[in-house]
Amino acid sequence: MPDTIAAIATPQLPSAIGILRLSGPDTRRILDVVFSPAHGGPVSGQAPRRMVLGDLHDRQGRIIDSALAVLFPGPHSYTGEDCAEIHCHGSPVVLNEGLDALFAQGARQAKGGEFTQRAFLNGRMDLIQAEAVADLIDAESPAAAHNAVGQLEGRLSRGVGEIYDGLMEVVSRFYAVVDYPDEDIDPLTQGQLTQTLARSETALEALLATFRRGQLLRQGVPAVILGKPNAGKSSLLNALLGYDRAIVTDVAGTTRDTVEEKVQVGHVLLRLCDTAGLRDTGDAVERLGVQRTRDAARQAALALLVLDGSRPLTAEDEDAIATAAAVPRQLVIVNKTDLPAGVEPAALVQRFGQVYPLSAATGEGVDALCRAVEALYPAGKQAQGELLTNARQADAVARSLEAVRSARRALEDGMTPDVVLTDAEAALEALGELNGKRIREDLVQTIFSRFCVGK
């Protein structure tokens, strides 16, 4: 029988509300000892899933807070076993004294992710949904939260389940024909097998293609601000952030290192990197900054190329333009529109197709740039749980896809059915790892160890 676990489920900072969580076979007994309702009998005898007002006691039985308690009987609870929560004031002292009282009655400290791990092991959710819990907690943008909650509700799991069921039909029908030759079971024709494998291959390819978008949604788009010295790169960073993060002066070369910040641009989360201006320099420190700029550009998915609109283009601008051209996506920004124009806007439009004039100093034109960033990544706004979001998921889908392709090739080459079956079972094995139907215990431990304590 599993033991009973307890944890503080809210951050240990002074706050209005703090929550203690409890789960396991001893939940009712422990709750009745540490919490005394203001009216009626013990909590375990009162209506479940309803808040009960009462007093929270420390390990010596002294009242330490007026609180609310709620009991969630298993199996219809988050973990699938008896669970309880105590909602008290968010004083770290009160929370720790309350947790100590739970320990005194036999509960132990929950490990990171152990509540969700028990939910998975007890069949309350599959592994994709369990990982979505962590994604939801860690979400840094509304779009990431929408995708995580969609996964938690089972959208991705249902898509995977459809592929799994199709392959299982192939495997189970084969074994039924072999194991029960006297029964009237129609074997799958080659045409049916080909159709099932082709359908599975197409679905897996589409699923794997979502991984890149899922990574950008979850972690943010790696973006780099490029331009010559004093073009206004740091001013643009500050304008997007809404506060002065980078030092801005009239001295060219002020920024000598990369400055990284996350900024929400509409539904898009940018991992924005301000960089040293690109130019040849004899200053050893600035030269290191320029090298870091080029390194950041090689790792970026989006380049914000800043041109000084108050001056004609120079060789340094051309260097920045060439560097930005190597980044998968670019937006060309003509800064300093609050100053007299030093370059013909029409010429820039003719060269780049689309430019975004703005003044980082006054903020004029920044909204248009933000809309352009959103337009580059429309899928994030529409994500509702169908995107793969971590490398474990992508690896499992890739292995399943390769096995399905191998099965289809074997069928086309006229191989015996058992060869096709072996590949189909390998595809099922990989999908089983994806949703947790077939997964090693040590891998389960590794996955949930990354979760926060109390969840």
Side-chain angles (χ1 to χ4, degrees):
M1 179 180 290
D3 47 10
T4 300
I5 57 174
I8 299 171
T10 46
Q12 291 204 54
L13 296 170
S15 59
I17 302 295
I19 299 175
L20 295 166
R21 300 187 79 191
L22 193 64
S23 181
D26 250 1
T27 292
R28 296 170 187 253
R29 180 190 65 78
I30 294 174
L31 186 62
D32 285 342
V33 173
V34 303
F35 186 86
S36 56
H39 305 285
V43 180
S44 62
Q46 300 197 28
R49 302 179 186 83
R50 290 187 180 180
M51 287 288 191
V52 177
L53 176 65
D55 295 322
L56 175 62
H57 301 263
D58 65 12
R59 67 161 52 223
Q60 282 80 35
R62 298 171 299 189
I63 297 175
I64 56 172
D65 197 7
S66 176
L68 295 167
V70 57
L71 176 67
F72 304 96
H76 304 296
S77 67
Y78 181 77
T79 62
E81 55 195 17
D82 284 350
C83 291
E85 291 182 359
I86 299 172
H87 294 231
C88 55
H89 291 95
S91 160
V93 172
V94 170
L95 289 167
N96 282 293
E97 286 292 301
L99 185 63
D100 187 55
L102 299 177
F103 293 161
Q105 294 302 318
R108 68 162 174 82
Q109 173 66 57
K111 302 172 185 176
E114 192 167 4
F115 287 92
T116 304
Q117 182 177 348
R118 290 190 177 197
F120 164 68
L121 294 174
N122 290 328
R124 296 294 293 169
M125 60 179 67
D126 65 22
L127 198 54
I128 295 172
Q129 292 171 302
E131 288 179 315
V133 173
D135 284 352
L136 188 56
I137 292 171
D138 295 336
E140 296 185 85
S141 69
H146 291 153
N147 189 70
V149 78
Q151 286 190 354
L152 188 55
E153 292 174 349
R155 181 161 184 172
L156 179 57
S157 299
R158 287 190 291 273
V160 172
E162 290 175 2
I163 303 171
Y164 189 94
D165 291 344
L167 293 171
M168 181 60 76
E169 170 69 14
V170 171
V171 172
S172 59
R173 185 78 70 89
F174 176 86
Y175 277 121
V177 171
V178 171
D179 294 343
Y180 303 99
D182 297 331
E183 298 292 333
D184 188 19
I185 302 174
D186 293 330
L188 289 172
T189 65
Q190 181 166 343
Q192 290 173 314
L193 279 173
T194 300
Q195 185 179 31
T196 298
L197 292 174
R199 186 167 55 246
S200 298
E201 183 177 354
T202 299
L204 287 168
E205 286 174 342
L207 185 57
L208 187 60
T210 69
F211 176 53
R212 177 60 177 164
R213 288 186 289 141
Q215 284 286 86
L216 294 178
L217 190 70
R218 181 168 171 259
Q219 298 179 359
V221 177
V224 60
I225 304 176
L226 297 173
K228 70 181 181 182
N230 214 26
K233 300 182 298 301
S234 296
S235 295
L236 178 61
L237 173 68
N238 291 341
L240 290 171
L241 289 173
Y243 65 92
D244 290 341
R245 169 64 177 87
I247 297 173
V248 175
T249 74
D250 292 333
V251 179
T254 299
T255 302
R256 296 188 171 204
D257 200 353
T258 54
V259 178
E260 299 184 13
E261 286 290 339
K262 290 184 179 180
V263 57
Q264 188 71 36
V265 177
H267 66 266
V268 181
L269 179 67
L270 293 183
R271 293 193 348 250
L272 201 54
C273 181
D274 183 23
T275 62
L278 289 168
R279 67 173 176 180
D280 292 328
T281 175
D283 187 307
V285 176
E286 188 178 357
R287 199 160 53 240
L288 286 173
V290 170
Q291 182 57 51
R292 290 192 177 188
T293 296
R294 300 191 189 282
D295 292 341
R298 280 191 287 269
Q299 298 169 14
L302 171 65
L304 302 181
L305 172 63
V306 182
L307 303 176
D308 184 348
S310 68
R311 299 175 181 275
L313 296 185
T314 66
E316 292 169 349
D317 286 309
E318 296 298 338
D319 187 8
I321 291 168
T323 303
V327 179
R329 289 180 169 177
Q330 314 87 29
L331 290 174
V332 181
I333 298 155
V334 181
N335 191 25
K336 303 186 182 182
T337 56
D338 53 312
L339 300 178
V343 62
E344 180 58 45
L348 295 177
V349 171
Q350 185 176 8
R351 177 174 179 181
F352 298 110
Q354 179 71 56
V355 298
Y356 297 90
L358 59 80
S359 170
T362 67
E364 183 182 2
V366 172
D367 287 346
L369 174 63
C370 291
R371 289 193 294 272
V373 172
E374 285 192 284
L376 287 177
Y377 301 96
K381 188 175 184 178
Q382 302 151 3
Q384 297 296 326
E386 71 279 9
L387 306 182
L388 299 176
T389 54
N390 64 55
R392 185 198 73 82
Q393 295 172 354
D395 175 69
V397 172
R399 286 187 284 113
S400 182
L401 175 59
E402 181 54 39
V404 167
R405 286 172 173 167
S406 180
R408 184 176 54 78
R409 288 194 297 267
L411 189 64
E412 292 172 351
D413 292 343
M415 296 289 187
T416 56
D418 59 302
V419 175
V420 178
L421 176 68
T422 298
D423 288 326
E425 287 184 321
L428 280 173
E429 186 76 24
L431 286 179
E433 289 182 21
L434 175 60
N435 59 19
K437 288 185 177 180
R438 307 180 181 188
I439 191 166
R440 305 189 317 271
E441 183 177 346
D442 61 326
L443 184 55
V444 172
Q445 296 289 344
T446 300
I447 291 169
F448 287 99
S449 67
R450 297 193 292 265
F451 283 47
C452 63
V453 174
K455 195 57 183 175

